[in-house]
Amino acid sequence: MYRILAIDDTSFFLRVLEDILSEYYEVFTTVSGEIAFRYMEQLKPDLILLDLAMPKVDGWQTMRQLKMRPDCSDIPVIFITSQTDKAIEAECLKLGAYDFITKPVSKEVLLSRVKKALEVKSYSEELKKKLEQKTKELEEVSLASISAMTALIDARDSYTKGHSKRVARYSVLIAENMNWSKEEIRRLYDIAMLHDVGKVGVPDKILLKTTQLTSLEMAVMKSHTVMGAEILKDITTFRDLELGARYHHERFDGKGYPDGLFGTEIPLLARIICVADSFDAMSSNRCYRPRLNPAQIRKELLRGSGKQFDPEVVWAFLKTWEVLPIIRKEMQRQV
């Protein structure tokens, strides 16, 4: 059953509204906007009937407060008032009211307007759910496509196979140690998975080269950060998706690329991915060098703290240093 909240400073009129509506709806009444907001902290109504002329907090103020609060802004409001001025009616509608009814109230008019408002609300909610579902489906298709692209990039080099998944898992571990929310961590995982997507534009002769890169080749290699951001920036349904790709090679001391950002100018998620990416690089065999042992890696992370890496992120990573070999072995079995 729909819930209707009626706000009016006249108790008699509230009883009239309750008598008309209670046969069809669950009706709650209050004599002020202040009390109404306290009520709505416990139970959100489906529709609000609101008087204009009330002491202290009047209908105008109540309506503005409703529209400012995210938890109330979508509740349809019908103004019920003895004022018949068309300019006032227009102002109410301009504020976002669904409808405007003048007193004395006709039972038939009230029931008709209320029914219509609730039907529109129900239709809007259904449409919103369908849109959210369709958006989610499109997001999943987009991410699946790009994740497949990332897997192909990892597969181009046998030395880095599974790199993106490992970086994403290490990034999650860091975020957990920094007390991120589950939703933030899930988002970080997706962003970290795609941090190297720009390497799709780097030729094999550069990506797989076993000797030192020339300055021109290094410039092409570094461009994967910008290319990755360009690939991801148009997927607007995923917030900040391009930030990991663009900024994971920035340095805390400002000497990184592509933009030379310094310290906290670098998005925190990119600072996290930077540490995770560096750890995986150091703990993997590469065509140009064998992997480092755990003691050497720990030393390098601490050496780079405050220079290449955000010190807070390094310490968050080292909190669970002992479990990292276990995680790495599990992930290597999955590849």
Side-chain angles (χ1 to χ4, degrees), residues 13 17 49-52 77-84 89 92-93 98-106 108-114:
F13 184 68
L17 292 177
L49 303 177
L50 178 61
D51 186 25
L52 269 181
V77 175
I78 296 177
F79 276 107
I80 301 182
T81 177
S82 57
Q83 300 186 46
T84 59
E89 180 179 353
C92 289
L93 297 175
Y98 173 80
D99 207 344
F100 183 96
I101 304 174
T102 56
K103 298 177 182 178
V105 174
S106 160
E108 291 74 18
V109 169
L110 177 63
L111 288 173
S112 176
R113 301 282 185 89
V114 166

Side-chain angles (χ1 to χ4, degrees), residues 26-238:
E26 193 173 357
V27 182
F28 301 88
T29 62
T30 179
V31 295
S32 76
E34 293 171 302
I35 298 173
F37 281 110
R38 289 201 293 272
Y39 162 80
M40 283 187 283
E41 290 175 0
Q42 306 298 323
L43 199 61
K44 183 178 177 181
D46 298 295
L47 175 68
I48 295 174
L49 303 177
L50 178 61
D51 186 25
L52 269 181
M54 295 186 294
K56 294 185 179 179
V57 181
D58 62 19
W60 303 109
Q61 294 169 301
T62 302
M63 184 65 178
R64 290 189 183 97
Q65 289 180 38
L66 282 168
K67 292 303 177 184
M68 288 174 61
R69 292 176 52 158
D71 58 331
C72 304
S73 62
D74 62 338
I75 303 173
V77 175
I78 296 177
F79 276 107
I80 301 182
T81 177
S82 57
Q83 300 186 46
T84 59
D85 190 328
K86 291 297 181 182
I88 291 177
E89 180 179 353
E91 187 63 27
C92 289
L93 297 175
K94 186 178 178 181
L95 277 176
Y98 173 80
D99 207 344
F100 183 96
I101 304 174
T102 56
K103 298 177 182 178
V105 174
S106 160
K107 178 179 179 179
E108 291 74 18
V109 169
L110 177 63
L111 288 173
S112 176
R113 301 282 185 89
V114 166
K115 182 182 178 183
K116 189 65 176 177
L118 291 170
E119 284 176 349
V120 170
K121 179 178 187 292
S122 178
Y123 176 76
S124 297
E125 288 177 346
E126 185 180 347
L127 194 62
K128 183 180 178 181
K129 286 179 182 177
K130 288 181 178 178
L131 181 61
E132 288 174 349
Q133 180 60 34
K134 184 58 65 177
T135 300
K136 184 178 179 182
E137 290 171 4
L138 290 172
E139 288 174 351
E140 289 172 353
V141 169
S142 297
L143 272 183
S145 299
I146 297 173
S147 296
M149 192 187 304
T150 302
L152 287 173
I153 292 164
D154 284 354
R156 288 166 71 189
D157 182 0
S158 60
Y159 289 99
T160 60
K161 191 174 182 181
H163 169 71
S164 297
K165 281 188 177 181
R166 291 194 298 272
V167 170
R169 181 64 186 91
Y170 301 145
S171 297
V172 165
L173 182 64
I174 294 169
E176 288 173 343
N177 291 341
M178 297 178 78
N179 299 315
W180 281 31
S181 69
K182 288 183 179 180
E183 178 58 28
E184 289 174 322
I185 289 171
R186 186 200 64 78
R187 188 168 62 89
L188 174 64
Y189 181 88
D190 291 335
I191 293 170
M193 271 289 292
L194 303 174
H195 76 283
D196 266 346
V197 71
K199 285 184 177 177
V200 70
V202 178
D204 282 351
K205 65 180 181 180
I206 295 176
L207 189 66
L208 307 179
K209 189 175 180 180
T210 57
T211 56
Q212 186 174 355
L213 299 179
T214 66
S215 58
L216 181 58
E217 289 169 336
M218 181 58 72
V220 173
M221 178 64 83
K222 287 183 177 181
S223 72
H224 83 276
T225 55
V226 177
M227 284 190 285
E230 284 297 308
I231 291 169
L232 300 173
K233 69 180 178 63
D234 291 328
I235 305 178
T236 56
T237 50
F238 274 73

Side-chain angles (χ1 to χ4, degrees), residues 259-270:
D259 299 319
L261 300 184
F262 176 82
T264 55
E265 292 177 348
I266 308 165
L268 179 55
L269 59 85

